[in-house]
Amino acid sequence: MVTAIDAATNKIILSNDKLNKTIINLTDFMTNEISQAMKSEFKVDAYLRSKETLGPQSQPISGDIAVNRAPLLQQAIVDFETRLADHVVRFKQWALLKGQKDNGRKLRRQEVDKKIEELTPQLDKLTQNLLTEQEVEDLLTLIKLMILPSPKPTDTLEGEDAAEYYRQIQKKTLAFSVLARDVLLRAPLIETKDWKIGYTKVNDVGGKTSLTEFMLSETQRKYFSPEWHLDIKTKTNTGLLREQVYQTNMTNYLLNELIEEERQTLGLLSFQ
């Protein structure tokens, strides 16, 4: 009887050992499966986050266009500022005349009046967004002559006459710089040879376009372009945030231009 009980007990113990091992193995398997599932979930999540940040739907075309145009615009703005400063210097040289006799001044004024009459039709060109180099030079010459047709020989001025003339020159120089700036914004300054056109086409003269054309292309024409709307329609949240950054950059550029225009206007008003 004792032997039978021992045998039965051993069988129960052996059965329990097997059951415990089975439970342990099953638990280990389930734990491993859960761990693998969690790792896979992390991988999927990381993939989705990577796709959201770096995938094609997170990169608006505006970014590629902006990167491509940045060095071209940088060079154009440097050229713009350099040319404006150069023409202001030329105006001052014209204003600070020296060594002209009375007869020479009369002849000079006749030539000036003739040149003004010849170039006056060019004023209609200021309605255009892009001018040729010759049109730019003609308009700058016309503006110079219209603002100051008869410069006085400074070496003959003294006292109050000299002070008054220099005050007038300061006022007229500011007026010239404001008008010259408006003309040069329409000058062909930006290379378009390697320009990624993007959503809209810009007009060019000899492979160059103007800052005014650029601003119109990136604002009014862009927002009326179906291609731009179709592009941002397909973008992820990251892509839309990037597009928002590009739009903010353009807005800041335009605000800077508006502030400069207001500064120029206030400068003119202060001399009235």
Side-chain angles (χ1 to χ4, degrees), residues 60-73 194-200 214 217-218 222 228 231 243 246:
I61 298 176
S62 301
D64 295 333
I65 295 172
V67 169
N68 171 257
R69 293 179 180 178
L72 303 174
L73 290 170
D194 299 321
W195 181 294
K196 283 189 177 179
I197 296 302
Y199 310 103
T200 60
F214 160 71
S217 174
E218 287 300 301
K222 180 176 181 177
W228 179 69
D231 179 52
E243 181 67 31
Y246 305 144

Side-chain angles (χ1 to χ4, degrees), residues 6-218:
D6 287 342
T9 301
N10 288 333
K11 287 182 180 181
I12 292 172
I13 291 172
L14 180 61
S15 177
N16 284 338
D17 288 342
K18 290 182 178 180
L19 180 60
N20 287 337
K21 289 182 179 179
T22 301
I23 292 174
I24 290 172
N25 290 336
L26 181 60
T27 301
D28 289 343
F29 174 78
M30 291 179 64
T31 301
N32 186 54
E33 286 296 308
I34 292 172
S35 176
Q36 291 296 327
M38 291 179 66
K39 289 179 180 179
S40 297
E41 184 178 351
F42 290 148
K43 288 181 180 179
V44 171
D45 184 60
Y47 169 76
L48 293 175
R49 281 188 282 109
S50 177
K51 186 177 180 181
E52 169 78 15
T53 306
L54 303 172
Q57 301 308 315
S58 68
Q59 306 289 345
I61 298 176
S62 301
D64 295 333
I65 295 172
V67 169
N68 171 257
R69 293 179 180 178
L72 303 174
L73 290 170
Q74 184 181 26
Q75 183 60 50
I77 291 173
V78 170
D79 292 343
F80 170 80
E81 298 291 347
T82 302
R83 291 181 64 173
L84 179 59
D86 180 59
H87 280 285
V88 169
V89 169
R90 292 187 199 178
F91 180 82
K92 290 180 178 179
Q93 291 173 342
W94 165 260
L96 302 177
L97 189 66
K98 290 185 179 181
Q100 286 288 324
K101 297 179 181 179
D102 289 340
N103 292 336
R105 288 177 61 197
K106 290 178 182 178
L107 180 61
R108 187 185 182 107
R109 179 57 193 264
Q110 291 176 0
E111 293 175 351
V112 166
D113 291 341
K114 183 180 178 181
K115 194 68 176 178
I116 289 176
E117 183 179 358
E118 175 191 336
L119 296 179
T120 295
Q122 295 281 27
L123 288 173
D124 294 338
K125 301 289 186 180
L126 288 175
T127 59
Q128 301 177 11
N129 300 321
L130 177 62
L131 305 172
T132 65
E133 285 290 357
Q134 186 59 53
E135 289 169 343
V136 169
E137 289 301 318
D138 288 346
L139 281 167
L140 290 172
T141 299
L142 177 61
I143 291 169
K144 178 184 72 174
L145 298 179
M146 292 180 72
I147 291 176
L148 186 61
S150 300
K152 296 179 181 180
T154 55
D155 51 356
T156 63
L157 297 176
E158 295 179 356
E160 292 183 2
D161 290 339
E164 175 61 21
Y165 183 68
Y166 282 114
R167 189 185 73 82
Q168 289 295 323
I169 292 304
Q170 186 178 9
K171 175 181 177 180
K172 291 178 183 293
T173 300
L174 178 58
F176 174 80
S177 68
V178 172
L179 296 174
R181 186 177 189 277
D182 191 56
V183 172
L184 287 172
L185 284 173
R186 294 166 167 77
L189 297 173
I190 310 174
E191 292 279 355
T192 58
K193 179 181 177 183
D194 299 321
W195 181 294
K196 283 189 177 179
I197 296 302
Y199 310 103
T200 60
K201 186 180 184 303
V202 295
N203 298 316
D204 69 276
V205 173
K208 289 186 177 182
T209 193
S210 66
L211 290 168
T212 300
E213 270 287 300
F214 160 71
M215 287 185 279
L216 283 171
S217 174
E218 287 300 301

